[in-house]
Amino acid sequence: MKTFASDNWAPVCPEVMQALIEANSGHSPAYGDDQYTAKAKQVFKKHFGEASETYFVYNGTAANILALATANHSFNAVICSEHAHINVDECGAPENFSGTKLIDIANNDGKLTVKSVEKHAEALRYPHQVVPNFISISQPTELGTLYSLHELKTLADYAHSHNLYLHIDGARIANAAIALEADFRTMITETGVDILSFGGTKNGMMFGEAVVVLKPELNKYFELYRKQGMQLASKMRYISAQFIALMENNIWKKNALQANSMAMLLAKKLAKYPEIQFTQAVETNGLWLKLNNEMAKKLQAISFFHPWDPDNNEYRIMTAYDTTEDDINKFVAALEVG
Amino acid sequence: MKTFASDNWAPVCPEVMQALIEANSGHSPAYGDDQYTAKAKQVFKKHFGEASETYFVYNGTAANILALATANHSFNAVICSEHAHINVDECGAPENFSGTKLIDIANNDGKLTVKSVEKHAEALRYPHQVVPNFISISQPTELGTLYSLHELKTLADYAHSHNLYLHIDGARIANAAIALEADFRTMITETGVDILSFGGTKNGMMFGEAVVVLKPELNKYFELYRKQGMQLASKMRYISAQFIALMENNIWKKNALQANSMAMLLAKKLAKYPEIQFTQAVETNGLWLKLNNEMAKKLQAISFFHPWDPDNNEYRIMTAYDTTEDDINKFVAALEVG
Amino acid sequence: MKTFASDNWAPVCPEVMQALIEANSGHSPAYGDDQYTAKAKQVFKKHFGEASETYFVYNGTAANILALATANHSFNAVICSEHAHINVDECGAPENFSGTKLIDIANNDGKLTVKSVEKHAEALRYPHQVVPNFISISQPTELGTLYSLHELKTLADYAHSHNLYLHIDGARIANAAIALEADFRTMITETGVDILSFGGTKNGMMFGEAVVVLKPELNKYFELYRKQGMQLASKMRYISAQFIALMENNIWKKNALQANSMAMLLAKKLAKYPEIQFTQAVETNGLWLKLNNEMAKKLQAISFFHPWDPDNNEYRIMTAYDTTEDDINKFVAALEVG
Amino acid sequence: MKTFASDNWAPVCPEVMQALIEANSGHSPAYGDDQYTAKAKQVFKKHFGEASETYFVYNGTAANILALATANHSFNAVICSEHAHINVDECGAPENFSGTKLIDIANNDGKLTVKSVEKHAEALRYPHQVVPNFISISQPTELGTLYSLHELKTLADYAHSHNLYLHIDGARIANAAIALEADFRTMITETGVDILSFGGTKNGMMFGEAVVVLKPELNKYFELYRKQGMQLASKMRYISAQFIALMENNIWKKNALQANSMAMLLAKKLAKYPEIQFTQAVETNGLWLKLNNEMAKKLQAISFFHPWDPDNNEYRIMTAYDTTEDDINKFVAALEVG
């Protein structure tokens, strides 16, 4: 049975699996000097523009930490949401890898605004204070919410006028693109984002994420930091082949659309129950909501999903690329059982 | 003219200077193997108990960072106030030296409470989250406020029942002891504090701070971290001799008492002006207050003091061990000038 | 055409690929809480003993760095060969991740001996010097040579009598086991090795290495360091399933045997050419040798292999699990062309 | 009784002590914004040229680590002698503070040459290997030997032609200047040295070292790293006043000359004993020599000095600025006792 736990509980989508099988032929140069990697990098250029450069790593933590390492000295700081994955779910990896301090901003919807960032955008007491260098946001956020194109551009403009770079943690960036009905160039390159962690695993891959560098100066040391960060894959062709499958043929789109649609369908069905209180807008492929114990128990009996804030009976329900209407129906039907 | 900028603008007090002159005779083993250091360590045992061990370092940043390094692995975290010196004024030293993440708690008076700490005291999602290992508080706080003995004990008890250590940043610990009318053993050892950064410089020394370790297991690696932290003084006798002068003859008490008394006197005199709004209780040797531009200008013309929150016309006024009643009178008199 | 560049240029072996296809079914808990990982950990216990614990990571750099992090504080040091992969091919990852210093020992055959280690086994000037905590060796070495069981035991005994742990970088540990005709328990557990980086990728996997912990106290923080080291795979089942395929059915043995046999065959054929000078004993699946320019050119025309020490015309030729006798014959035949 | 243990066992020289007493008057801005620091920085410009910038720190470890941090990323490496203080006596501080790897070169006299450096000057396998960024040498070396002006210039030229900076650990740089009969501008600025750790403590100060930056781009982040490195002195005037005393009136010269002369005198007297074997040339203020047990015992009875290589009966004897001819005579006389 499928779960609503997380999109990384899902298997590899068939197109990606097929690509892995096909790539498994003959010898191929190690460490990214292979033809698959060359092609995958080109495919990303089509999505993000010729000036972009893309690098492949194993997972999302690495994509984030290495993206932020591109420009951070140990005295620099990253401004982020208190809910940011880098702040709460990466076991201090940013601090340990680069010495970087995180300045986390309180908020209710996972989002930063210029107003919430601005009192932290400059070191007030040089050289006593860390020097902010990055604003890092998640799109969609860790609460499933979205920045509009306008909001992205506003943050990027603000960042650039304050000697800051804008980084996006895009572990589910495909879901955001679908939700905003925007291609990657429009959402990322043209709003002025400087560097992006591009998620593959939650979109149907086996492993592998990409770092898309939009500002040329951020490429300078990436490969050295990737190696030092234990993220240089020897048989890199197997990451690259997956990304080709996903990105060249719009599989990313199909997968994200399915996940988002199913979340919307589920939200619509659950909205009929007045006891259920949505705590965040449902904008991508996750639902945050409060359930009474009885309802929670009935739903968990069908399919596992994670408590979010146990003290407040808040739960997170995630759909995936392989969630079907039938899965939704069976899940919701549990609530009707006496 | 004396200033109200900070107690570290003051010179070295006469008794400490005399001790330096007297210590300057003949050869003496380097790196702390000298008789002055042996004696100074004994003097600290008298103040903190026989089970305590004391180590000397150059400055307050080092005392804090090395104290926290005693038990922190890079996956650990330190819970502290958002105003904590380690959080805002040490340029990311904790993160860089140990890889440690700081979890900073919002508050209005510089103080942590069990209530504000408790939702951060445990890693919720092992192994995704950092593991808190220390609660670090400042006594007095960076806003001049104080923890009572009861509050200290409550925090220490809470810490110990949650596998946490309690660290105190005591850059002005002497001022706190005077304010609470408590000796160090009562305030620190007996409340259950585990490790203390003991400030010397702001109490009249030229340079030098101490780390007082109250829990034996925290001694284990201190000397190695001190050396690696670039804090092993070759001519250590000159730190130790200062501490002997300060601590053996109650000079610390005389100095802190004078600073605190002058702050109280100044507060009393300024309280007569209804335009002046105190933003923090005056409990040690600093005043936090809002001044209108005219008053600020008049006072600054007599003696410099630092803006604290320029957007809100908030200032900080610090007294020192050498502030006199005459200094206070001249300062306040400026407000009476037409 | 197959190359002799490196065993990580080879594709995934059929049994492993099949296992990946079979594991790709349905939802499965993320981050290692899945049934494949549970089973793979059991399979490793069969090889290394019930007291061992095994953890999966993405690559060999990570296996090494995380293995050494289990017991190292930043003031500790790792004693290793000057040729060690951690010393020359991991871009400073040990130093950056843990702050650990490497003490590298000069040698001609890639091997450490008690004699070469002993002057570095203790910090002479506490607390000025780093404190050695690990001896790290590679089996087989980066020069293709082998430690005998007796040599392993001697080093382990020496380490343990000097408060040191013995770590093995076993990127090609299967090749060593075949060469020594020893199972893993005999070679690793029973000689007293404390922690092992167990290589999967070079033995036919797509990605994934294992850290086998033989001393229980080294387990304590592993999962936290793995997460912080950006090595916690969300879809871990796909590493685990590969290891099950490799380890449960002796595929590791078949693969390593083929690689080693082909290296021996090649060595035997090349030994007939007096112009070729072997610079290391051929003990596993690599050949180190000096070739004159003409011979090098002829061989490179057939199949790429890496220069090792270009100033001395030294080359490295690696066989892989998929190298065939036919590959060897075609390769050597190039030397006969006029 | 004076010792021959180390120049950091000596007290503070009278001129420096007097300067401290005189500086101890009134309030003075903290953290280096004071008039003493401004003046001391100017004094250094007179010695090193107008383009130089000088920063004060507490000790020699810090001067070295912060000097190297000016240009090092964590993937960079520092090439140094195996005997370098940064390699053996700073408890891994370079590795921990910056993540920097040290590449240490074997030698017999403490000195690096172009020949010994050149095979390490470039990363051979990008991005697998660390990228050398600094050559760091000690002048005089940890074995008391000296680089000639020509040797310094040759190393600097080599460094600059290979994208490397040249750093000097000058803990006893004054002794080197005296020995070479060269002023600092000639020895450092004009030979092309890029950054210098300038020793004060061993030349008669109480505490305090300077980092002299000769290449403007190395100034960029120094103050941030100094703060993060726990080396920003709050009452900096007391370091600066000492340096003014030392550097403005040639006290550094007087002190170094005395130490060197006494070493030469002692060497001359000891050379008469055929049983004594000098292991290094006596070029500054230290003697390295082998003593039989009886002679060692007799000398140690008069004044302590450190064993250097106990296995080989090698000792180090250091003179200081306060060593007198009388001290030498009494010391050597011990050998004549029956």
Side-chain angles (χ1 to χ4, degrees):
Chain A
M1 172 65 193
K2 271 169 252 168
T3 73
F4 292 97
S6 177
D7 26 17
N8 57 28
W9 289 41
V12 180
C13 75
E15 298 87 349
V16 165
M17 200 69 210
Q18 187 55 34
L20 283 170
I21 292 166
E22 288 170 14
N24 196 41
S25 162
H27 281 213
S28 192
Y31 301 117
D33 294 333
D34 61 278
Q35 57 170 328
Y36 299 92
T37 302
K39 180 170 178 186
K41 288 170 78 81
Q42 282 305 315
V43 170
F44 269 89
K45 278 183 186 286
K46 281 187 202 142
H47 285 286
F48 288 93
E50 278 301 312
S52 69
E53 288 292 337
T54 298
Y55 304 91
F56 304 116
V57 299
Y58 288 114
N59 69 3
T61 299
N64 286 336
I65 273 58
L66 295 177
L68 296 170
T70 53
N72 271 349
H73 292 81
S74 58
F75 55 76
N76 283 129
V78 174
I79 300 170
C80 64
S81 158
E82 61 175 329
H83 306 289
H85 205 265
I86 54 170
N87 193 47
V88 293
D89 275 313
E90 288 169 1
C91 204
E95 289 87 351
N96 191 50
F97 185 73
S98 304
T100 303
K101 184 180 187 63
L102 302 185
I103 298 174
D104 60 307
I105 312 283
N107 62 77
N108 293 319
D109 60 357
K111 291 168 67 177
L112 296 184
T113 61
V114 166
K115 193 175 155 53
S116 68
V117 161
E118 63 191 357
K119 76 177 254 207
H120 301 284
E122 293 173 67
L124 299 181
R125 289 191 289 276
Y126 173 91
H128 300 269
Q129 297 196 325
V130 288
V131 181
N133 206 25
F134 268 104
I135 297 173
S136 175
I137 61 174
S138 300
Q139 171 80 328
T141 71
E142 288 77 9
L143 303 177
T145 55
L146 277 174
Y147 292 87
S148 70
L149 298 184
H150 179 70
E151 287 172 327
L152 290 176
K153 188 171 183 333
T154 303
L155 274 173
D157 288 348
Y158 177 82
H160 300 157
S161 66
H162 287 75
N163 280 317
L164 300 164
Y165 290 107
L166 181 62
H167 164 252
I168 288 187
D169 175 350
R172 294 182 178 96
I173 195 71
N175 303 86
I178 290 299
L180 291 175
E181 295 182 17
D183 59 25
F184 294 123
R185 193 183 296 240
T186 306
M187 177 168 58
I188 302 297
T189 317
E190 293 177 4
T191 56
V193 173
D194 298 298
I195 193 163
L196 166 71
S197 302
F198 186 102
T201 314
K202 287 174 173 128
N203 194 245
M205 282 174 52
M206 183 183 284
F207 68 110
E209 310 275 303
V211 176
V212 185
V213 178
L214 286 315
K215 285 293 176 302
E217 72 262 31
L218 299 183
N219 289 300
K220 193 167 182 191
Y221 305 127
F222 192 88
E223 294 185 291
L224 289 158
Y225 281 128
R226 179 174 61 179
K227 175 67 192 180
Q228 190 178 51
M230 323 179 205
Q231 290 289 325
L232 180 57
S234 58
K235 295 183 175 176
M236 200 187 286
R237 61 168 140 169
Y238 296 103
I239 300 180
S240 305
Q242 292 181 73
F243 269 119
I244 295 169
L246 213 62
M247 301 299 287
E248 204 181 32
N249 303 306
N250 284 333
I251 304 305
W252 69 268
K253 224 173 195 168
K254 186 180 78 167
N255 286 353
L257 182 60
Q258 180 67 15
N260 285 12
S261 307
M262 291 302 102
M264 298 304 162
L265 179 64
L266 179 56
K268 197 175 150 195
K269 287 178 184 279
L270 293 180
K272 291 175 187 159
Y273 296 85
E275 308 93 317
I276 296 178
Q277 185 189 337
F278 285 84
T279 53
Q280 298 291 339
V282 179
E283 300 186 341
T284 46
N285 67 320
L287 293 75
W288 276 253
L289 35 70
K290 293 188 185 177
L291 294 173
N292 63 39
N293 286 344
E294 194 197 336
M295 292 181 113
K297 205 172 163 184
K298 285 180 178 174
L299 290 171
Q300 293 277 17
I302 302 299
S303 170
F304 177 71
F305 52 96
H306 287 289
W308 187 257
D309 179 357
D311 295 343
N312 290 302
N313 294 317
E314 192 183 15
Y315 295 85
R316 185 189 74 166
I317 298 176
M318 299 296 296
T319 57
Y321 79 89
D322 66 344
T323 307
T324 63
E325 207 168 322
D326 192 45
D327 297 327
I328 300 291
N329 289 335
K330 280 184 194 153
F331 190 54
V332 179
L335 294 176
E336 297 302 321
V337 178
Chain B
M1 173 62 193
K2 273 168 251 170
T3 73
F4 292 96
S6 177
D7 28 16
N8 58 29
W9 289 41
V12 180
C13 75
E15 297 87 347
V16 166
M17 199 70 210
Q18 186 57 32
L20 283 171
I21 291 167
E22 288 169 14
N24 196 41
S25 163
H27 281 212
S28 191
Y31 300 117
D33 294 332
D34 62 278
Q35 55 172 328
Y36 298 92
T37 302
K39 180 170 177 185
K41 286 170 78 81
Q42 281 305 315
V43 170
F44 269 89
K45 277 183 187 284
K46 281 186 203 143
H47 284 287
F48 288 94
E50 278 302 311
S52 69
E53 288 292 337
T54 299
Y55 304 90
F56 304 116
V57 299
Y58 287 116
N59 68 3
T61 300
N64 286 337
I65 273 58
L66 295 177
L68 296 169
T70 52
N72 271 349
H73 291 82
S74 59
F75 54 76
N76 284 128
V78 174
I79 301 170
C80 64
S81 159
E82 63 175 327
H83 306 289
H85 205 265
I86 54 171
N87 192 47
V88 293
D89 274 313
E90 288 169 358
C91 204
E95 289 88 350
N96 192 51
F97 185 73
S98 305
T100 303
K101 184 179 187 63
L102 302 185
I103 299 174
D104 60 306
I105 312 281
N107 63 77
N108 293 319
D109 60 357
K111 291 167 66 176
L112 297 184
T113 60
V114 166
K115 193 175 155 52
S116 67
V117 162
E118 64 190 359
K119 77 178 252 209
H120 301 284
E122 294 174 68
L124 300 179
R125 289 191 289 276
Y126 173 91
H128 300 269
Q129 297 196 324
V130 287
V131 181
N133 206 24
F134 269 103
I135 298 174
S136 175
I137 60 174
S138 301
Q139 171 80 328
T141 71
E142 289 76 10
L143 303 177
T145 54
L146 278 174
Y147 291 88
S148 70
L149 298 184
H150 179 70
E151 287 172 328
L152 291 176
K153 187 170 182 335
T154 303
L155 275 172
D157 288 348
Y158 177 82
H160 300 157
S161 65
H162 287 75
N163 279 317
L164 300 164
Y165 291 107
L166 180 62
H167 164 253
I168 288 187
D169 175 350
R172 294 181 179 98
I173 194 71
N175 303 87
I178 291 297
L180 291 175
E181 296 182 15
D183 58 24
F184 293 123
R185 192 183 297 241
T186 306
M187 178 168 58
I188 302 298
T189 316
E190 292 176 5
T191 57
V193 172
D194 298 299
I195 193 163
L196 166 70
S197 302
F198 186 102
T201 313
K202 288 175 172 127
N203 193 245
M205 281 173 54
M206 183 182 283
F207 67 109
E209 311 274 303
V211 176
V212 185
V213 177
L214 285 314
K215 284 293 176 304
E217 72 262 30
L218 300 182
N219 289 299
K220 192 167 182 191
Y221 305 128
F222 192 89
E223 295 184 291
L224 288 158
Y225 281 127
R226 179 173 62 179
K227 175 67 192 181
Q228 190 177 53
M230 322 181 206
Q231 290 288 325
L232 180 58
S234 58
K235 296 182 175 177
M236 199 187 287
R237 62 168 139 168
Y238 296 103
I239 300 181
S240 305
Q242 292 181 74
F243 268 120
I244 295 169
L246 213 62
M247 301 299 286
E248 204 181 32
N249 303 306
N250 284 332
I251 304 305
W252 70 269
K253 223 173 197 170
K254 185 180 78 168
N255 286 353
L257 182 60
Q258 180 67 14
N260 285 13
S261 306
M262 291 302 101
M264 298 303 161
L265 179 64
L266 179 56
K268 197 175 149 195
K269 287 178 184 278
L270 293 179
K272 292 175 187 161
Y273 296 84
E275 308 93 316
I276 297 179
Q277 186 189 337
F278 285 84
T279 53
Q280 297 292 338
V282 180
E283 300 187 339
T284 46
N285 68 320
L287 293 75
W288 276 255
L289 35 71
K290 293 188 185 178
L291 294 173
N292 63 39
N293 287 344
E294 194 196 336
M295 291 180 113
K297 206 173 164 185
K298 284 180 177 173
L299 290 171
Q300 293 276 18
I302 302 299
S303 170
F304 176 71
F305 52 95
H306 286 290
W308 187 257
D309 179 357
D311 294 344
N312 290 302
N313 295 318
E314 192 183 16
Y315 295 85
R316 185 190 73 166
I317 298 177
M318 299 297 294
T319 57
Y321 79 88
D322 67 343
T323 307
T324 63
E325 208 169 323
D326 192 47
D327 296 329
I328 301 291
N329 289 335
K330 280 184 192 150
F331 190 53
V332 180
L335 294 176
E336 297 302 319
V337 178
Chain C
M1 171 65 194
K2 273 168 251 169
T3 72
F4 293 96
S6 177
D7 27 17
N8 58 28
W9 289 42
V12 180
C13 74
E15 298 87 348
V16 166
M17 199 70 209
Q18 187 56 33
L20 283 170
I21 291 167
E22 288 169 14
N24 196 41
S25 162
H27 280 213
S28 192
Y31 301 117
D33 295 331
D34 61 278
Q35 57 171 328
Y36 298 92
T37 302
K39 180 170 178 185
K41 287 170 77 81
Q42 281 306 316
V43 171
F44 269 90
K45 278 184 188 285
K46 281 187 203 142
H47 284 285
F48 288 94
E50 278 303 309
S52 69
E53 288 292 336
T54 299
Y55 304 91
F56 305 115
V57 299
Y58 287 114
N59 68 3
T61 300
N64 286 336
I65 273 59
L66 295 177
L68 296 170
T70 52
N72 271 350
H73 292 81
S74 58
F75 54 76
N76 283 129
V78 174
I79 301 170
C80 64
S81 159
E82 64 176 327
H83 306 289
H85 205 264
I86 53 171
N87 192 48
V88 293
D89 273 314
E90 289 170 359
C91 204
E95 289 87 350
N96 192 50
F97 186 73
S98 304
T100 303
K101 184 180 188 63
L102 303 185
I103 298 174
D104 60 305
I105 311 283
N107 62 77
N108 292 319
D109 60 356
K111 291 168 67 176
L112 296 184
T113 61
V114 166
K115 192 174 155 52
S116 67
V117 161
E118 64 190 358
K119 77 178 252 210
H120 301 283
E122 293 173 68
L124 300 180
R125 289 191 289 276
Y126 173 91
H128 300 269
Q129 297 197 326
V130 288
V131 181
N133 206 25
F134 268 104
I135 297 173
S136 176
I137 60 175
S138 301
Q139 171 80 328
T141 71
E142 289 77 9
L143 302 177
T145 54
L146 277 174
Y147 291 88
S148 70
L149 298 184
H150 178 70
E151 286 171 328
L152 291 176
K153 188 169 182 335
T154 303
L155 274 173
D157 288 348
Y158 178 80
H160 300 157
S161 66
H162 287 75
N163 280 315
L164 299 165
Y165 291 108
L166 180 63
H167 165 253
I168 288 187
D169 176 350
R172 295 181 178 96
I173 194 71
N175 303 86
I178 290 298
L180 292 175
E181 295 181 17
D183 59 24
F184 294 123
R185 193 183 296 240
T186 305
M187 177 169 58
I188 303 297
T189 317
E190 293 176 4
T191 56
V193 172
D194 298 297
I195 194 163
L196 167 70
S197 302
F198 186 102
T201 313
K202 287 173 173 132
N203 194 245
M205 282 173 53
M206 184 182 282
F207 66 110
E209 310 274 304
V211 176
V212 185
V213 177
L214 286 314
K215 285 292 176 306
E217 73 262 31
L218 300 183
N219 289 299
K220 191 166 182 191
Y221 305 128
F222 192 88
E223 295 184 291
L224 289 158
Y225 281 127
R226 179 174 61 180
K227 176 67 192 180
Q228 189 177 54
M230 323 180 205
Q231 290 288 324
L232 180 58
S234 59
K235 296 183 176 176
M236 199 186 288
R237 62 167 138 168
Y238 296 103
I239 300 181
S240 305
Q242 292 181 73
F243 269 120
I244 295 169
L246 213 61
M247 302 299 286
E248 204 181 33
N249 303 305
N250 284 332
I251 305 305
W252 69 268
K253 224 173 197 170
K254 185 180 78 169
N255 286 353
L257 182 60
Q258 180 67 15
N260 285 12
S261 307
M262 291 302 103
M264 298 304 160
L265 179 63
L266 180 56
K268 196 176 150 195
K269 288 179 184 277
L270 293 179
K272 292 175 187 159
Y273 296 84
E275 309 93 318
I276 297 178
Q277 184 188 340
F278 285 84
T279 54
Q280 298 293 338
V282 180
E283 301 187 338
T284 47
N285 68 319
L287 294 73
W288 276 253
L289 35 70
K290 293 189 186 179
L291 294 173
N292 63 38
N293 286 346
E294 194 197 335
M295 291 181 114
K297 206 173 165 184
K298 285 180 178 174
L299 290 171
Q300 292 277 17
I302 302 299
S303 169
F304 177 70
F305 52 96
H306 286 289
W308 187 258
D309 179 357
D311 294 344
N312 290 302
N313 294 319
E314 192 183 16
Y315 294 86
R316 184 190 73 167
I317 297 176
M318 299 297 295
T319 57
Y321 79 88
D322 66 344
T323 307
T324 62
E325 207 169 322
D326 191 46
D327 296 327
I328 300 291
N329 289 335
K330 280 185 193 149
F331 190 54
V332 180
L335 294 175
E336 297 302 319
V337 178
Chain D
M1 172 64 195
K2 272 168 251 169
T3 72
F4 292 96
S6 177
D7 28 16
N8 58 28
W9 289 42
V12 180
C13 74
E15 298 86 349
V16 165
M17 199 71 209
Q18 187 56 34
L20 283 170
I21 292 167
E22 287 169 15
N24 196 40
S25 162
H27 281 212
S28 191
Y31 300 116
D33 294 333
D34 61 278
Q35 56 172 328
Y36 298 92
T37 303
K39 181 170 177 184
K41 287 169 77 82
Q42 282 305 316
V43 170
F44 269 89
K45 277 184 187 286
K46 281 188 203 142
H47 285 286
F48 288 94
E50 278 303 309
S52 69
E53 288 292 337
T54 299
Y55 305 90
F56 304 116
V57 299
Y58 288 115
N59 68 4
T61 299
N64 286 337
I65 274 57
L66 296 176
L68 296 170
T70 53
N72 270 350
H73 291 81
S74 58
F75 54 76
N76 284 128
V78 174
I79 301 169
C80 64
S81 159
E82 62 175 330
H83 306 289
H85 205 266
I86 55 171
N87 192 47
V88 293
D89 274 313
E90 288 169 359
C91 204
E95 289 87 350
N96 191 50
F97 185 74
S98 305
T100 304
K101 185 180 186 63
L102 302 185
I103 299 174
D104 60 305
I105 311 282
N107 62 77
N108 293 319
D109 60 357
K111 291 167 67 176
L112 296 183
T113 61
V114 167
K115 192 174 156 51
S116 66
V117 162
E118 64 191 359
K119 76 177 253 207
H120 301 283
E122 293 174 68
L124 299 180
R125 291 191 287 275
Y126 173 92
H128 300 268
Q129 298 197 324
V130 288
V131 181
N133 206 23
F134 269 103
I135 297 173
S136 175
I137 60 174
S138 300
Q139 171 79 329
T141 71
E142 289 77 9
L143 302 178
T145 54
L146 278 174
Y147 291 88
S148 70
L149 298 184
H150 179 69
E151 287 172 327
L152 291 176
K153 189 171 181 332
T154 302
L155 275 173
D157 289 347
Y158 177 81
H160 300 157
S161 66
H162 287 75
N163 280 316
L164 299 164
Y165 291 107
L166 181 62
H167 165 253
I168 288 187
D169 175 350
R172 296 182 178 95
I173 194 71
N175 303 86
I178 290 298
L180 292 175
E181 296 181 17
D183 58 25
F184 294 123
R185 194 183 294 243
T186 306
M187 177 169 57
I188 302 298
T189 317
E190 293 177 4
T191 56
V193 173
D194 298 298
I195 193 163
L196 167 70
S197 302
F198 186 102
T201 313
K202 286 173 172 130
N203 193 245
M205 281 174 53
M206 183 182 283
F207 67 110
E209 309 274 304
V211 176
V212 184
V213 178
L214 285 316
K215 284 293 177 304
E217 72 263 30
L218 299 182
N219 289 300
K220 192 167 182 190
Y221 304 128
F222 192 89
E223 295 185 290
L224 289 158
Y225 280 128
R226 180 175 60 179
K227 174 68 192 179
Q228 190 177 53
M230 323 180 205
Q231 290 287 325
L232 180 57
S234 59
K235 297 183 175 176
M236 199 187 287
R237 61 167 138 168
Y238 297 103
I239 300 181
S240 305
Q242 293 181 74
F243 268 119
I244 295 169
L246 213 63
M247 302 298 287
E248 205 182 30
N249 303 306
N250 284 332
I251 305 304
W252 70 269
K253 225 173 195 170
K254 186 179 78 168
N255 287 352
L257 182 60
Q258 179 67 15
N260 285 14
S261 306
M262 291 302 102
M264 298 304 161
L265 179 64
L266 179 56
K268 198 175 149 194
K269 287 177 184 279
L270 293 180
K272 292 175 187 160
Y273 296 85
E275 309 92 317
I276 296 178
Q277 184 188 339
F278 285 84
T279 53
Q280 297 292 338
V282 180
E283 300 187 339
T284 46
N285 67 320
L287 293 74
W288 276 254
L289 35 70
K290 292 189 186 177
L291 294 173
N292 62 39
N293 286 345
E294 193 197 335
M295 291 181 113
K297 205 172 165 184
K298 285 179 178 175
L299 290 171
Q300 292 276 18
I302 302 298
S303 170
F304 176 71
F305 52 96
H306 286 289
W308 187 257
D309 179 357
D311 295 344
N312 290 302
N313 294 318
E314 192 184 15
Y315 295 85
R316 184 190 74 166
I317 297 176
M318 299 296 296
T319 57
Y321 79 89
D322 66 344
T323 307
T324 63
E325 208 168 322
D326 191 46
D327 296 328
I328 300 291
N329 289 335
K330 280 184 193 152
F331 190 54
V332 179
L335 294 176
E336 297 302 319
V337 178

